[in-house]
Every structure is written in structure tokens, then in C-alpha cells.
């Protein structure tokens, strides 16, 4: 039977751990709500932008406008994978999943590219950065500080840099690896192709194409709108990962709080048993001492 | 005529208006009721809105796209500074 003081100390230390985890859970819940609002705010913009893109695409049918964002080049250039993780830990398997997927990309999807040193990574989030470094990946850029001030402007700076590098031919293909938010307890690991641009789904046939006047011209508009929609996509991916991070942390901390409560219950039981045992012992001693004196 | 000004971060304005002037890339232009459908890219500059009651608002936008269709103006701005 462990001694009383020892158990008491353990109980108080587990209690303070529980306090920390439950506070972290609350903080994550608040941050989750805030971040979710941001996604909701982004949605009208993304939808409308997509609407405009579809309109432009509709009236583009038939004419051949060269699109520098769609061109598929010969596959000899570099592939860039943008790995989005969090800056802080304590969020369950959130970052480990991303790291595992990054490894899979490296060893299974593009082993040739990797061996030739043509598979490079960009890390957003410290945890991913550390994991990539451990795997000896070729990290060309890091933007770990973006989460300090997550805004459209900041992310679009990175996005336009990426677009520029794609157009200039430095990269052949850019993918984003991130956790997509499903609900507070679930994240879906997603690899999204950022560039080349995926074909816009055919929505022709529905309704007649409105006869728009294009200022200054269809081509210019395409060249303007596609980067915008890419920036939106990029922002959404990072925001999604940010929301997922808080969801994951909330769930992890909830678990931890529950576990701490269980532990405290067990320890308290043990403590009471030990206390009772020592009382019984003392009583026995007193009684037998008295017995001995009488005899 | 309905106007919506949207940025990626939030909806700036939504309401019934009389006219709106936007900084098109080839020059500033005004949109009134029953304007022909237009899609135009925008430069940095002021957006001047006159609402139903005749009150004038100004927004400074930095780049964007405007779509005018069926008496509905959708202005997608990259960022907006409310003046």
C-alpha cells in the first residue's frame, strides 16, 4: 500500500493537469468558433467568384484563349508539396497524419522525383516543418508564422509567389497537403492539386450564356480571375487546416480531461482505502496495547 | 438595383442602391439601373455608392472584379478600406 502523502501528491498533480487540459479545451472551442466564422465569411466570395468564372468560361466556348495556368508541360520539372500543419502540438494525431502522408507521397507517389531531388516541400506550420526535417526532405520555404496573423492578404502573398513560380516554369505541379475540417472530432486528410488548374466543371447547357460586355477583354479577365480563385483556394485550405487543428485539439483535450477525471477517481479510492487501513491499524495497536497492560 | 460588395474576409455592403461608380481597369464607370451585363476587372480606387435615399458612401478598394447582371451588381474586392 503506497503511503498516504504520495497518493495525495499524485492526486493534486493530476488535478492541476486536468485544470490545464480543460482550460485548453475551452480555449480551443472558442478559437474553433472564431475560425469557423472566417470560413463562413469566405463562402459568399468563393461562390460568387466561381459564378463569374463559370460565366466567363461559358462565353469562352469556341474561342481558343491560351491559358497559362492549365498548360501541362513535359514532366521533368520540380514538384512542390505545400504541407500545412499547426504550430503547436497537443492536438492528437493531427500533425502525425500529415507527416505520414508526406512520407507516403515521397516514397510511393513520386519516388523517382524524390530520388532525382525534384520533389520539394514548403512547410506551413512548425510541427510539419520539424517532421519534414526529420525525414530529410528538401524544404525550400517555410511560412510558419502565418498562423500568427491569418488573413487573406498574408496567404495571398504566398499564393501569388507560388503562381509566379509555376508560370515561370520552376515548378511543374504544386499540391497542397492539409487536414480538411469535417467536424470537431474528424479531420479528413486531403491532397489537393493547386496548379495546374483543374478543368472547371462543365456547367454549360443550363441556361443561355448572358451576353456580357467584357472590360478590358476576356483574356485579361481570365488572367485576372484565375489567380484570384487560386488565392481563394489557398486561403481556404489554410483556413480549413486551422479550423481542423482547433477541432482536433478540442477533442484531444476533452479526452485528456476525461482520463484525468478517471485517474482522480481511482486515486481517491486508493487514498481512502489506505487511510482507512492505517486507522484500523492504529486502533488495533491501541487495543492490543491496552489488552497487554491488563494481562 | 441590388449591390453586394464582398471581400474574402467579409461582406462589406449589401443593399438596394441607385447607382455605383467603380474603378474599372480601363477607366472608372458608373452603373445605373438596367445596365447592360458587364464583367470587368477593377483597379485600386474609390467605389462610390448612392443608396436608395440618395446618401453617398465611399469605399476604397484594391483590385477586384465586378459583375453586373439582371439589375444585380456583385463586386468582389480583394480588400476594402471603408472611408
Amino acid at each position: 500500500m503506497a503511503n498516504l502523502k504520495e497518493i495525495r501528491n499524485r492526486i493534486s498533480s493530476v488535478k492541476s493537469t486536468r485544470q490545464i487540459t480543460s482550460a485548453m479545451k475551452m480555449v480551443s472551442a472558442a478559437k474553433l468558433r472564431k475560425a469557423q466564422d472566417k470560413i463562413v465569411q469566405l463562402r459568399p466570395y468563393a461562390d460568387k467568384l466561381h459564378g463569374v468564372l463559370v460565366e466567363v468560361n461559358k462565353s469562352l466556348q469556341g474561342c481558343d484563349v491560351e491559358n497559362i495556368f492549365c498548360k501541362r508541360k513535359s514532366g521533368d520539372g520540380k514538384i512542390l508539396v505545400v504541407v500545412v500543419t499547426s504550430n503547436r502540438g497537443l492536438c492528437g494525431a493531427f500533425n502525425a497524419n500529415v507527416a505520414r502522408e508526406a512520407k507516403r507521397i515521397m516514397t510511393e507517389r513520386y519516388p523517382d522525383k524524390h530520388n532525382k531531388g525534384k520533389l520539394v516541400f514548403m512547410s506551413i506550420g512548425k510541427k510539419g516543418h520539424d517532421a519534414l526535417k526529420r525525414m530529410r526532405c528538401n524544404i525550400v520555404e517555410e511560412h510558419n508564422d502565418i498562423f500568427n496573423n491569418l488573413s487573406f492578404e498574408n496567404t495571398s502573398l504566398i499564393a501569388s509567389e507560388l503562381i509566379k513560380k509555376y508560370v515561370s516554369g520552376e515548378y511543374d505541379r504544386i499540391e497542397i497537403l492539409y487536414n480538411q475540417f469535417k467536424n470537431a472530432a474528424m479531420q479528413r486528410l486531403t491532397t489537393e492539386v493547386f496548379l495546374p488548374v483543374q478543368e472547371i466543371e462543365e456547367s454549360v447547357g443550363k441556361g443561355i450564356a448572358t451576353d456580357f460586355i467584357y472590360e478590358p477583354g476576356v483574356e485579361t479577365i481570365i488572367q485576372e480571375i484565375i489567380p484570384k480563385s487560386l488565392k481563394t483556394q489557398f486561403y481556404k485550405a489554410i483556413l480549413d487546416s486551422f479550423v481542423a487543428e482547433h477541432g482536433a485539439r478540442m477533442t484531444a483535450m476533452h479526452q485528456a480531461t476525461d482520463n484525468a477525471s478517471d485517474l482522480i477517481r481511482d486515486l481517491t479510492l486508493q487514498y481512502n482505502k489506505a487511510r482507512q487501513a492505517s486507522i484500523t491499524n492504529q486502533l488495533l495497536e491501541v487495543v492490543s496495547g491496552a489488552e497487554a497492560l491488563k494481562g | 438595383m441590388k449591390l453586394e460588395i464582398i471581400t474574402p474576409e467579409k461582406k462589406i455592403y449589401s443593399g438596394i442602391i441607385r447607382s455605383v461608380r467603380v474603378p474599372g481597369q480601363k477607366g472608372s464607370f458608373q452603373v445605373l439601373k438596367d445596365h447592360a451585363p458587364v464583367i470587368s476587372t477593377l483597379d485600386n480606387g474609390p467605389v462610390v455608392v448612392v443608396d436608395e435615399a440618395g446618401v453617398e458612401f465611399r469605399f476604397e478598394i484594391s483590385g477586384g472584379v465586378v459583375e453586373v447582371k439582371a439589375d444585380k451588381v456583385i463586386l468582389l474586392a480583394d480588400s476594402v478600406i471603408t472611408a
Side-chain angles (χ1 to χ4, degrees):
Chain A
M1 195 64 66
N3 81 46
L4 283 176
K5 191 165 161 42
E6 233 168 64
I7 299 178
R8 214 164 34 224
N9 284 345
R10 276 202 68 193
I11 289 178
S12 71
S13 89
V14 174
K15 264 190 185 152
S16 60
T17 308
R18 182 176 65 175
Q19 200 141 47
I20 292 168
T21 56
S22 78
M24 277 184 80
K25 181 190 150 195
M26 239 101 81
V27 170
S28 286
K31 283 191 178 165
L32 174 72
R33 208 162 311 128
K34 239 189 188 165
Q36 254 179 320
D37 281 350
K38 271 194 182 171
I39 285 204
V40 173
Q41 301 281 12
L42 177 68
R43 203 164 294 144
Y45 183 87
D47 288 350
K48 295 274 155 63
L49 193 65
H50 186 251
V52 175
L53 206 57
V54 167
E55 289 288 357
V56 176
N57 212 42
K58 249 193 248 172
S59 40
L60 220 59
Q61 301 287 316
C63 41
D64 229 6
V65 178
E66 190 163 339
N67 191 340
I68 47 168
F69 304 108
C70 287
K71 229 187 319 177
R72 287 185 192 271
K73 297 166 210 155
S74 55
D76 214 33
K78 283 187 191 166
I79 294 177
L80 177 76
V81 181
V82 181
V83 178
V84 188
T85 51
S86 69
N87 269 349
R88 285 149 208 243
L90 289 184
C91 41
F94 182 83
N95 292 315
N97 284 343
V98 175
R100 197 175 329 116
E101 181 65 18
K103 186 158 200 166
R104 211 182 60 80
I105 289 177
M106 212 164 74
T107 53
E108 285 172 36
R109 269 185 56 205
Y110 302 118
D112 307 347
K113 289 272 183 195
H114 179 59
N115 291 338
K116 277 190 241 159
K118 292 215 161 148
L119 181 66
V120 292
F121 290 87
M122 174 171 135
S123 74
I124 294 179
K126 243 180 239 154
K127 293 287 160 184
H129 186 77
D130 295 346
L132 288 176
K133 243 200 284 186
R134 267 199 301 280
M135 290 191 281
R136 295 208 177 73
C137 297
N138 194 353
I139 309 171
V140 283
E141 264 182 90
E142 50 169 309
H143 292 282
N144 297 341
D145 43 4
I146 195 149
F147 291 113
N148 298 341
N149 184 12
L150 189 57
S151 70
F152 183 72
E153 265 173 73
N154 289 346
T155 51
S156 49
L157 285 181
I158 302 173
S160 30
E161 200 61 34
L162 289 179
I163 295 168
K164 217 185 289 167
K165 281 181 177 160
Y166 176 79
V167 171
S168 74
E170 191 175 336
Y171 298 125
D172 256 9
R173 189 180 172 84
I174 300 174
E175 290 183 14
I176 313 175
L177 171 61
Y178 69 103
N179 277 297
Q180 204 172 39
F181 178 78
K182 276 197 80 179
N183 55 47
M186 272 234 278
Q187 298 86 39
R188 202 174 53 213
L189 200 59
T190 320
T191 318
E192 226 169 57
V193 181
F194 182 62
L195 278 163
V197 171
Q198 305 298 291
E199 286 297 314
I200 304 151
E201 323 87 75
E202 293 296 320
S203 46
V204 198
K206 278 187 215 158
I208 325 117
T210 319
D211 203 4
F212 279 105
I213 306 167
Y214 290 102
E215 290 272 338
V218 181
E219 281 126 90
T220 341
I221 286 181
I222 279 278
Q223 307 301 12
E224 285 262 334
I225 289 183
I226 289 180
K228 271 193 217 309
S229 94
L230 285 173
K231 281 176 197 168
T232 317
Q233 187 196 350
F234 194 72
Y235 180 55
K236 194 174 162 293
I238 290 177
L239 213 51
D240 231 349
S241 163
F242 190 62
V243 175
E245 175 198 338
H246 287 301
R249 182 164 302 121
M250 200 176 90
T251 326
M253 287 302 114
H254 182 75
Q255 286 284 348
T257 310
D258 282 357
N259 289 345
S261 297
D262 282 352
L263 204 56
I264 289 171
R265 209 174 33 243
D266 288 352
L267 282 173
T268 314
L269 191 66
Q270 214 183 356
Y271 175 74
N272 286 339
K273 273 184 183 162
R275 190 174 55 95
Q276 192 58 57
S278 83
I279 291 170
T280 316
N281 256 339
Q282 279 166 18
L283 272 178
L284 271 178
E285 268 163 35
V286 172
V287 171
S288 57
E291 256 340 273
L293 278 182
K294 240 192 254 169
Chain B
M1 186 168 64
K2 244 193 114 182
L3 169 73
E4 279 183 64
I5 302 179
I6 307 170
T7 70
E9 269 150 5
K10 63 175 183 233
K11 202 175 246 185
I12 302 287
Y13 183 90
S14 170
I16 311 287
I17 54 148
R18 267 192 215 163
S19 79
V20 56
R21 202 173 76 222
V22 294
Q25 211 163 40
K26 266 175 36 183
S28 171
F29 64 93
Q30 192 176 33
V31 179
L32 287 159
K33 196 173 171 299
D34 294 326
H35 194 284
V38 163
I39 292 180
S40 170
T41 50
L42 304 177
D43 262 350
N44 302 352
V47 172
V48 183
V49 180
V50 179
D51 77 358
E52 248 185 329
V55 184
E56 206 181 90
F57 297 98
R58 280 171 76 94
F59 303 99
E60 284 297 322
I61 66 161
S62 63
V65 194
V66 67
E67 184 197 60
V68 183
K69 186 184 172 186
D71 250 9
K72 201 168 174 211
V73 184
I74 297 167
L75 201 161
L76 303 170
D78 290 354
S79 68
V80 171
I81 305 153
T82 330

